[in-house]
């Protein structure tokens, strides 16, 4: 079993990683929004048969998949943070 100091250090590292990852997610969501906006403009202009339009669609799909992975990682970090906080509380009550 680890001691309280271990969990406190881990908690701080997890919180830093959580903030860094949240920033990455926000930037990716903004990029996804811009790609979607460009895609919609292309549809309106009738460019759906253009090769570059298909590349744009692939980029959007890639963004969606990457965002899912990042959000899963954020969820995992949230669980790890909760675990650390629980263990610190438990070790405080000894």
């Amino acid at each position: 079993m680890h001691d309280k100091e271990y969990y406190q250090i881990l908690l701080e590292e997890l919180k830093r990683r959580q903030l860094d990852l949240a920033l990455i997610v926000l930037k990716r969501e903004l990029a996804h929004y811009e790609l979607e906006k460009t895609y919609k403009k292309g549809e309106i202009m009738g460019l759906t048969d253009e090769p570059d339009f298909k590349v744009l669609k692939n980029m959007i799909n890639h963004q969606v998949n990457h965002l899912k992975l990042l959000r899963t990682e954020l969820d995992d970090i949230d669980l790890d943070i909760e675990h650390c906080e629980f263990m610190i509380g438990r070790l405080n009550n000894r």
Side-chain angles (χ1 to χ4, degrees):
M1 180 177 237
H2 299 287
D3 64 353
K4 183 179 168 184
E5 183 180 1
Y6 167 82
Y7 286 107
Q8 288 174 326
I9 291 168
L10 180 58
L11 180 61
E12 291 305 314
E13 290 174 9
L14 288 168
K15 286 182 176 182
R16 266 193 300 278
R17 178 68 184 140
Q18 182 184 42
L19 288 174
D20 291 342
L21 196 54
L23 179 60
I24 291 168
V25 168
L26 289 173
K27 287 180 179 181
R28 284 287 183 150
E29 286 177 346
L30 179 59
H32 177 75
Y33 168 77
E34 292 298 329
L35 288 171
E36 285 283 344
K37 191 167 71 171
T38 303
Y39 185 83
K40 294 294 181 195
K41 286 180 183 177
E43 279 183 326
I44 291 169
M45 295 172 61
L47 302 174
T48 55
D49 293 332
E50 296 293 322
D52 289 341
F53 197 75
K54 291 176 183 15
V55 170
L56 180 61
K57 183 63 176 172
N58 288 335
M59 289 172 66
I60 291 170
N61 290 336
H62 175 74
Q63 284 287 346
V64 167
N65 292 333
H66 194 248
L67 277 168
K68 285 178 187 175
L69 291 173
L70 291 171
R71 287 185 186 119
T72 299
E73 188 176 347
L74 263 178
D75 290 342
D76 291 345
I77 290 173
D78 287 341
L79 287 174
D80 290 342
I81 287 172
E82 287 179 27
H83 173 73
C84 284
E85 289 170 342
F86 170 78
M87 290 305 293
I88 290 169
R90 191 162 179 218
L91 291 167
N92 281 337
N93 292 330
R94 279 187 174 183

